[in-house]
Amino acid sequence: MSVVTVEGLRKTYGDLVAVRDIDLAVEVGEVFGILGPNGAGKTTTVECVAGLRAPDAGRIEVLGLDPATDSDRLHEQVGVQQQQGALPPKLRVGEALKLYAGFYRDAEDPRRLAATLGLTDRWDAPYRVLSGGQRQRVSIALALVGRPRLAILDELTTGLDPAARRETWGLIRSMRDQGVTVVLVTHSMEEAGELCDRVALIDHGRVVAAGTPARLAHEHGGGTRMSFRPTGTIEDALLTGLPSVRRVVRDGDRLAVTGDPEAVVDVVLALDRVGVRPADLEVASGTLDDAFLALTGHRFHEAEDGGPR
Amino acid sequence: MSATGTVARHRGAFRRLLAVEARLAWREPVALVWGVGLPVVLVLIFGNISAFREVLPGSGGLTVLDAYLPVLVMVVLAMLGLVGLPVPLATYRELGVLRRMSTTPVHPSWVLGAQLVVNLAMAAVAVTLVLGMGMALGAQLPSQALGFALALVLATATLFTLGLCVAAMARTARAAAAVGNALFFPLAFFGGLWLPQPVMPEVLQRISGYTPTGAAVQAMTSTVQGSFPSLASLLVMGGYAVVFAVVAVRTFRWE
């Protein structure tokens, strides 16, 4: 069952086309990544999904509701964590959680939520003194306090140190384990690979590919690469004849083989049959970065400057 | 979920929001200090200066202290309207508080409502203190109660809607504070904070009558003298209030 369906979404700001044509389907219970460089149209897309902006064209359905016309009912069931959403500096953590809990029909107990998110000892701390990681946890708490069926998290870990990032990822996994569907907007390939069940790669307001991170990396990321120094002489044909091998390149005394993930085992076994061992074996698989490059013709981080968010 | 349940829940949420905004106003007491503290301290000082007990020439028999009470009421309304109301709103918009709220079942306009209530409550306390302490110090109070109430309501409407325009146009909290203060000083001048209206040069007096604060002080002063405020002063305030309200509604953005 789809929690979010987006078809042919288009959104412009004046002459600026933020979202050109986007289709998405987010299934119940998954962590779905919307991945792309800054300015690709990710935030605009989720703002339309969350009912914060009206699309210029296209159809959106979230939990069976149209966000543009039914935003009140939508906001009961969808928790949103936006970029740059701060709180009044002197508002205390506990006050914020209790206040927001009061906005929802069936809210989570603020104390318990604070405990889950490791905020109990910061209950009386004003927002101003919180660390970046703690602020993010408050932000997640406010997105979850209404017991949403869908949580939209936009650039959740940007600006966090690696430890706080890992911690936040753990929280998102536990959210999913509790049955909350998560839409995660990120420009971090690592985060998407780590957390997401499926991702949509977005560039210039379009979805360039969608699928599980492993599949995208494999299908578009150039496959699995291995490189080794054979301990004996072999013909290329021994390896190129294997169905899982795509390409064999010689580089001095080393061989570089590209192919499917199974190629690694196939090559090692084929070498073994002729009594040769692959010395100094190195294996690398395709990455989402490689996939992005192959799909768009430009590197992920080159696309970072300019453009609408 | 019944409709009454929803209403009760909304009422509860608004009460909580109000409590939070009141606490924040207490913790960040700019409005409290300048909008309530300053005018009250000024009444205390003015009431203890013997020269302020003398009759102000051209005022129809009012002492300087009598003439200053409406001015200080105006200071309360101007400070709370131009600084107390717009600065938190601009801060919340800048910080993304209003944006975050728009993702919840509660519309960010509730924050505006809570800010209005908090500032109106501070105004009520401050005006009561200014008048009460003025009376204790021997000043003459407005004897035309209905006229005074009407003038007070219109003056509040004018200055608070002007404050909403400030909140609408300022992109940042800093800008809102700067614009609010920049408006306060000339408006307080025309309202007679430095030179009470009766002793203003004729031209200045005339100009003052067409400013929101000048008209407010004029209207309140006539009620101290025992007469109903002039239609002109009420129309000036009402006119400004309508214009400011329209501008604020047209230009206010939640993000």
Side-chain angles (χ1 to χ4, degrees):
Chain A
M1 187 196 120
S2 282
V3 174
V4 180
T5 312
V6 176
E7 281 167 6
L9 176 67
R10 182 180 175 84
K11 178 72 189 173
T12 57
Y13 302 114
D15 290 340
L16 214 64
V17 183
V19 172
R20 205 168 288 279
D21 178 16
I22 281 186
D23 295 327
L24 297 172
V26 179
E27 303 302 323
V28 68
E30 70 178 345
V31 177
F32 187 90
I34 296 186
L35 178 64
N38 290 340
K42 309 185 296 290
T43 295
T44 302
T45 301
V46 291
E47 281 174 346
C48 291
V49 169
L52 299 174
R53 292 189 195 285
D56 295 330
R59 192 181 75 89
I60 302 181
E61 199 181 290
V62 181
L63 297 164
L65 301 169
D66 177 353
T69 58
D70 224 346
S71 65
D72 284 355
R73 276 164 69 195
L74 187 78
H75 291 157
E76 274 291 346
Q77 306 176 63
V78 179
V80 184
Q81 186 270 333
Q82 294 175 290
Q83 288 181 67
Q84 295 145 358
L87 288 173
K90 294 195 177 172
L91 186 64
R92 296 182 184 147
V93 171
E95 289 171 342
L97 293 186
K98 283 197 286 190
L99 177 66
Y100 278 71
F103 294 170
Y104 295 90
R105 190 171 296 172
D106 175 32
E108 181 76 69
D109 172 36
R111 286 268 180 195
R112 212 172 58 200
L113 189 59
T116 313
L117 291 165
L119 288 166
T120 300
D121 57 341
R122 306 261 68 190
W123 183 261
D124 287 319
Y127 185 76
R128 164 174 60 96
V129 307
L130 300 182
S131 70
Q134 289 165 347
R135 288 179 182 196
Q136 269 327 20
R137 277 184 273 157
V138 171
S139 208
I140 297 174
L142 295 182
L144 295 184
V145 74
R147 294 181 200 268
R149 292 166 64 191
L150 169 69
I152 298 174
L153 310 171
D154 192 354
E155 298 288 358
L156 192 61
T157 61
T158 305
L160 293 188
D161 62 59
R165 254 181 123 197
R166 296 239 151 234
E167 208 175 276
T168 310
W169 289 350
L171 290 174
I172 294 170
R173 286 196 195 96
S174 67
M175 257 159 92
R176 187 209 23 215
D177 295 344
Q178 284 162 33
V180 180
T181 305
V182 179
V183 171
L184 183 76
V185 174
T186 181
H187 68 267
S188 157
M189 293 286 186
E190 189 198 357
E191 186 163 291
E194 189 82 21
L195 276 180
C196 297
D197 298 312
R198 289 193 307 133
V199 296
L201 280 180
I202 294 192
D203 189 42
H204 294 302
R206 278 203 176 90
V207 178
V208 292
T212 69
R215 175 156 288 277
L216 286 182
H218 169 59
E219 276 179 6
H220 304 284
T224 298
R225 284 155 300 190
M226 62 190 294
S227 135
F228 56 89
R229 186 171 46 77
T231 53
T233 332
I234 53 159
E235 294 292 320
D236 283 4
L238 175 71
L239 305 180
T240 49
L242 297 168
S244 60
V245 168
R246 245 176 270 156
R247 208 152 59 100
V248 178
V249 177
R250 282 183 189 268
D251 178 16
D253 62 348
R254 289 184 76 83
L255 275 177
V257 179
T258 315
D260 298 339
E262 309 85 76
V264 181
V265 174
D266 292 349
V267 166
V268 172
L269 289 176
L271 290 175
D272 188 58
R273 276 195 295 271
V274 296
V276 172
R277 294 172 64 79
D280 307 327
L281 176 63
E282 286 166 14
V283 177
S285 43
T287 63
L288 278 175
D289 263 306
D290 298 328
F292 189 84
L293 174 64
L295 288 163
T296 65
H298 57 91
R299 277 238 166 252
F300 193 75
H301 291 281
E302 279 168 13
E304 286 229 329
D305 19 61
R309 260 170 140 25
Chain B
M1 196 74 202
S2 67
T4 46
T6 307
V7 169
R9 184 163 54 92
H10 283 179
R11 201 175 293 150
F14 187 73
R15 253 201 308 272
R16 259 195 214 97
L17 196 56
L18 205 54
V20 163
E21 292 302 330
R23 251 178 265 158
L24 290 175
W26 179 257
R27 287 178 201 157
E28 195 81 74
V30 180
L32 212 53
V33 167
W34 296 101
V36 182
L38 174 78
V40 168
V41 168
L42 286 179
V43 179
L44 277 178
I45 296 173
F46 291 174
N48 287 293
I49 299 176
S50 56
F52 272 57
R53 302 193 176 263
E54 279 158 29
V55 170
L56 188 67
S59 71
L62 299 183
T63 67
V64 180
L65 183 62
D66 296 338
Y68 258 111
L69 283 195
V71 174
L72 293 177
V73 169
M74 173 278 294
V75 168
V76 167
L77 300 178
M79 265 297 172
L80 294 175
L82 300 175
V83 181
L85 181 63
V87 171
L89 289 176
T91 306
Y92 294 170
R93 188 175 40 210
E94 189 183 353
L95 292 177
V97 174
L98 302 181
R99 223 167 110 85
R100 185 196 299 276
M101 202 161 280
S102 60
T103 71
T104 73
V106 163
H107 193 264
S109 58
W110 288 35
V111 179
L112 195 155
Q115 274 298 327
L116 273 175
V117 173
V118 167
N119 279 283
L120 286 172
M122 283 196 279
V125 169
V127 169
T128 309
L129 282 174
V130 165
L131 294 181
M133 290 171 56
M135 186 173 75
L137 290 162
Q140 226 177 305
L141 287 197
S143 48
Q144 227 303 329
L146 185 68
F148 179 75
L150 186 60
L152 195 61
V153 167
L154 281 175
T156 307
T158 309
L159 289 163
F160 276 48
T161 50
L162 180 57
L164 290 180
C165 291
V166 173
M169 290 175 184
R171 297 178 66 107
T172 63
R174 241 172 211 282
V179 173
N181 282 303
L183 284 172
F184 174 80
F185 286 101
L187 282 174
F189 172 79
F190 284 118
L193 181 58
W194 287 276
L195 201 61
Q197 279 171 339
V199 292
M200 278 184 189
E202 166 107 35
V203 184
L204 218 51
Q205 246 182 62
R206 189 163 304 203
I207 298 173
S208 158
Y210 289 104
T211 63
T213 44
V217 172
Q218 223 174 58
M220 289 188 278
T221 305
S222 10
T223 67
V224 178
Q225 292 160 329
S227 46
F228 203 79
S230 70
L231 186 62
S233 62
L234 297 179
L235 282 177
V236 167
M237 284 191 282
Y240 276 118
V242 169
V243 171
F244 294 155
V246 169
V247 171
V249 167
R250 290 247 169 107
T251 56
F252 198 89
R253 296 285 172 268
W254 300 108
E255 55 181 87

